Amino acid sequence: MSIDKKLLNIILVFLLIVIISSGILFKNFFTSFSQVGELEKYYYNFNSYNDLSSDILLMTINLQDYISYSEGEYLDIYFKHSSLAIKKELELLNSASLDNKQEILDMIEMTKSYISFVDKEVIPVIKSNEYSTEDLKSLHLRNKVFSQELTEKLRATTSANHIRFDHYFQGTIIKMNGNIMLLLVILLSALIILPWFMFKTFHPFLSHCFYLDKLAHYNKFASIFVDNKGYIKHINNSAKELFGILPSSIQDRNIQDIPGLFPHLQSITQPLLQVLLQDKEISKYRISYALDGRNIDLSVDYSPIMILNKSAGAMLVAVVTDTQKDKPLLLDTLEKERKRISIEIHDWIGRYMSTIIHSLDYILRLNKNANIKGELLDSLLDLRSHCQTAAIEMRGIMNDIHPYLIDKVGLISALESYVLTFEKLNKIKVYILYQDRALRIKKKDEIIIYRIIQEGLSNITKHAKATEVDISFTVLNDLLKIEIQDNGGTDGDFVAGKGLWGMKERASLIGGEISFGQNDSGFCVTLTVPIMPGGQLNE
């Protein structure tokens, strides 16, 4: 699968644009912190100039009132605001830059001259009470001149600060914002266009990989993938079932470790090394291997996996040969023959057995008035009991050979009948749990499910110390989930045998999956069967 190099070059250009734009934006972002600090400084100065203007105004007004009325409260207010004015001017001096420091120094000197005028001329004259009207007019006039000079000086200093702020804002902030907006437009445009080019470039490749992965996972053929270093990276469900292994036990294992871990897989996985070394395909490699006492014939294909002309690993795909594909037909034929034998037993041996029992009942009723006693009566009663026991066992054998109730009343009812006999013979209580007696499964699938449950119960009697068994039927979407759970405890390690293998074989014939395992209470068998279109309602 190739990638369009022209589109790839375009993607690289857009990625370069995104990286450069992002870098410049980050630089402006960090620069903006210092610019925000500068703006805060200007804002603080504006407030300080406003406060200073208010203090100077109140300082001169209250001195004017003190000159006019000679009352001490006006002098106190003057002292307060003159002190605040000097304090504000010193704060402005400390925060001033080199270009406006002299303006603030001049403002401080003018304020000190005004305070000196008050201390040396105004206060002594007023407190002496030896002043004329001309003296007051002179003081008023000089206070007015000082007030105008201070106000004009403050206005000029404030105006200069405004001009510097406007120059900074226009030359720095607005310019920076314009650059940021331009970079954002470029970046957003690149980010919008880039995914489209990436989609056009990598979509065929990713789709190819995605669908290959899905195909490998759900394919009915067993497949195993190893990387270019020989480590197993993927094993699908079919391989798990065919080779009798759990993915977790083989995942990330090297092929060279397989003979020690899974000896039966050595002949299957060994050719993968040759494929990795030579990058050559091996087709229709015939292998026969043993698993759980059975021989399985396989046809295996080994293929190197190449990405961008480089080895990415190798894959094996194993197919069961045609000799294994006749099992559904063989099992169907076997069930038909079992059904025929069951009917023969019922129609011939069952009929004769029923006749014998009825005849014995007739003889016992006929001779009831004759008061038969002794060995003859005991023999007749024993014969009748033996015949009745034989008839019950014969029905059990018939049910084992072929559960005739399935054909008449369905799977659930057939199981309930079988469970009654099972409980009596094995002293194990069985509970059948279901949401609905009607199961939408095909008639031919019911007998296979019945056999799996039958084998599960048989395994419990052989291997578990159980007193209770739960058989639950649950319908989830288009799946029927059947769980066989016993309370036999978790003593000992679980080892799959031929019985469990046979259950797996039967489940695969109807497209189902089966799993085994131990939990807190005992052993659990879980069978999942698809509810196929055309399934019948069986009640």
Side-chain angles (χ1 to χ4, degrees):
M1 189 71 191
S2 61
I3 296 176
D4 192 329
K5 291 185 178 180
K6 184 178 179 180
L7 287 175
L8 190 59
N9 290 332
I10 294 174
I11 289 174
L12 292 175
V13 170
F14 274 102
L15 282 175
L16 189 61
I17 292 173
V18 170
I19 292 170
I20 293 174
S21 300
S22 300
I24 297 174
L25 280 174
F26 273 112
K27 181 182 177 182
N28 286 328
F29 174 75
F30 288 114
T31 304
S32 65
F33 280 107
S34 61
Q35 293 169 339
V36 168
E38 193 68 24
L39 290 175
E40 289 179 348
K41 181 180 175 182
Y42 278 112
Y43 178 74
Y44 174 78
N45 288 342
F46 287 149
N47 290 334
S48 296
Y49 280 120
N50 289 332
D51 292 342
L52 179 59
S53 176
S54 176
D55 288 329
I56 288 175
L57 179 63
L58 291 172
M59 177 179 71
T60 56
I61 289 175
N62 280 279
L63 184 65
Q64 185 75 13
D65 292 339
Y66 177 69
I67 294 171
S68 300
Y69 305 110
S70 303
E71 293 183 2
E73 60 179 317
Y74 296 116
L75 186 61
D76 292 338
I77 297 173
Y78 157 78
F79 283 130
K80 174 184 175 183
H81 287 286
S82 63
S83 176
L84 289 173
I86 289 294
K87 182 180 178 181
K88 289 287 192 309
E89 289 171 348
L90 291 174
E91 289 176 355
L92 285 171
L93 180 64
N94 292 329
S95 64
S97 58
L98 293 175
D99 56 348
N100 67 333
K101 192 175 287 286
Q102 188 59 47
E103 297 172 355
I104 299 174
L105 285 171
D106 293 342
M107 186 76 188
I108 293 173
E109 288 300 321
M110 189 175 290
T111 305
K112 287 181 177 179
S113 297
Y114 179 75
I115 293 173
S116 177
F117 156 71
V118 175
D119 291 341
K120 294 179 180 181
E121 298 185 34
V122 177
I123 295 176
V125 170
I126 299 300
K127 286 189 174 182
S128 67
N129 290 324
E130 297 177 357
Y131 52 84
S132 63
T133 304
E134 292 299 324
D135 293 333
L136 291 178
K137 286 182 179 181
S138 176
L139 292 175
H140 276 299
L141 181 60
R142 293 188 64 186
N143 181 59
K144 185 177 180 181
V145 171
F146 267 116
S147 176
Q148 289 175 351
E149 289 177 351
L150 285 170
T151 303
E152 288 297 326
K153 188 62 178 178
L154 179 60
R155 185 180 294 114
T157 306
T158 304
S159 178
N161 189 66
H162 275 288
I163 292 171
R164 279 189 293 271
F165 172 75
D166 291 339
H167 177 74
Y168 177 78
F169 189 81
Q170 295 290 335
T172 305
I173 303 299
I174 294 178
K175 183 180 178 180
M176 183 190 72
N177 289 341
N179 292 336
I180 290 175
M181 290 302 297
L182 179 60
L183 287 169
L184 282 174
V185 170
I186 295 173
L187 182 60
L188 289 175
S189 301
L191 289 175
I192 291 171
I193 298 172
L194 183 60
W196 185 82
F197 278 107
M198 292 184 70
F199 175 79
K200 294 291 288 184
T201 304
F202 296 105
H203 178 259
F205 177 76
L206 293 176
S207 298
H208 187 71
C209 295
F210 175 78
Y211 289 118
L212 277 181
D213 180 69
K214 289 293 183 183
L215 181 64
H217 185 75
Y218 293 108
N219 193 2
K220 65 179 180 179
F221 302 138
S223 63
I224 296 177
F225 172 75
V226 298
D227 63 14
N228 54 7
K229 295 182 180 178
Y231 289 93
I232 296 173
K233 293 299 181 182
H234 177 80
I235 174 171
N236 70 349
N237 287 332
S238 299
K240 177 184 69 174
E241 296 294 334
L242 178 61
F243 300 137
I245 53 177
L246 294 174
S248 58
S249 64
I250 198 172
Q251 198 87 12
D252 294 324
R253 297 278 190 177
N254 196 283
I255 302 174
Q256 297 178 355
D257 299 332
I258 297 302
L261 295 171
F262 307 98
H264 66 282
L265 292 181
Q266 180 178 0
S267 59
I268 298 171
T269 59
Q270 200 65 28
L272 283 170
L273 286 173
Q274 182 181 345
V275 173
L276 285 174
L277 292 174
Q278 300 178 1
D279 289 335
K280 289 184 179 180
E281 184 177 355
I282 301 176
S283 299
K284 301 188 183 304
Y285 187 75
R286 290 302 187 105
I287 299 175
S288 179
Y289 81 104
L291 178 65
D292 294 334
R294 59 193 174 108
N295 289 323
I296 299 178
D297 297 324
L298 299 178
S299 175
V300 187
D301 292 327
Y302 301 88
S303 303
I305 305 298
M306 310 296 290
I307 297 178
L308 299 177
N309 297 323
K310 292 184 179 180
S311 175
M315 176 176 283
L316 72 81
V317 178
V319 182
V320 180
T321 55
D322 293 338
T323 55
Q324 305 288 328
K325 295 180 180 178
D326 296 330
K327 289 183 179 178
L329 178 61
L330 180 63
L331 190 62
D332 188 49
T333 304
L334 181 61
E335 285 296 341
K336 287 181 179 179
E337 182 63 17
R338 284 179 168 181
K339 184 177 180 180
R340 186 190 67 79
I341 295 172
S342 178
I343 292 172
E344 291 289 335
I345 293 173
H346 179 271
D347 290 347
W348 293 99
I349 301 176
R351 183 174 62 185
Y352 289 132
M353 187 66 69
S354 179
T355 301
I356 293 172
I357 292 172
H358 287 310
S359 297
L360 288 170
D361 288 339
Y362 176 75
I363 293 171
L364 290 171
R365 286 197 307 272
L366 186 65
N367 293 284
K368 185 177 181 181
N369 296 329
N371 198 16
I372 298 175
K373 295 181 180 180
E375 293 182 2
L376 178 60
L377 179 60
D378 293 338
S379 297
L380 288 173
L381 291 173
D382 288 342
L383 180 60
R384 204 269 181 198
S385 176
H386 290 319
C387 289
Q388 185 67 38
T389 302
I392 292 173
E393 291 183 356
M394 182 190 66
R395 291 193 187 96
I397 293 171
M398 287 166 53
N399 203 44
D400 286 340
I401 294 173
H402 181 78
Y404 66 94
L405 283 175
I406 281 186
D407 301 326
K408 295 182 178 181
V409 291
L411 176 61
I412 297 292
S413 298
L415 282 174
E416 288 174 338
S417 176
Y418 174 76
V419 160
L420 291 175
T421 306
F422 177 85
E423 290 177 332
K424 291 178 182 178
L425 294 176
N426 299 286
K427 308 301 181 184
I428 298 175
K429 185 64 178 176
V430 180
Y431 299 94
I432 301 177
L433 312 171
Y434 51 84
Q435 298 165 325
D436 193 345
R437 296 182 71 88
L439 303 174
R440 293 187 178 273
I441 52 178
K442 294 180 180 179
K443 278 287 185 182
K444 66 178 183 178
D445 293 350
E446 288 185 328
I447 185 64
I448 294 177
I449 296 173
Y450 180 91
R451 293 295 185 199
I452 291 172
I453 296 174
Q454 193 177 37
E455 181 65 28
L457 292 174
S458 176
N459 287 337
I460 291 171
T461 61
K462 293 176 184 178
H463 307 294
K465 299 177 182 179
T467 58
E468 291 183 2
V469 180
D470 290 337
I471 305 174
S472 60
F473 293 78
T474 309
V475 176
L476 299 171
N477 298 326
D478 295 329
L479 294 174
L480 173 63
K481 182 180 178 182
I482 304 168
E483 290 183 307
I484 307 170
Q485 170 73 57
D486 65 53
N487 66 343
T490 58
D491 295 338
D493 296 329
F494 162 61
V495 178
K498 292 184 179 179
L500 298 181
W501 170 81
M503 296 165 72
K504 280 188 175 182
E505 288 286 299
R506 281 192 167 93
S508 65
L509 295 176
I510 56 176
E513 292 185 357
I514 196 164
S515 61
F516 316 101
Q518 292 177 331
N519 54 27
D520 294 338
S521 61
F523 194 75
C524 182
V525 178
T526 303
L527 171 64
T528 305
V529 181
I531 300 176
M532 303 293 289
Q536 301 297 318
L537 275 172
N538 300 311
E539 299 182 0

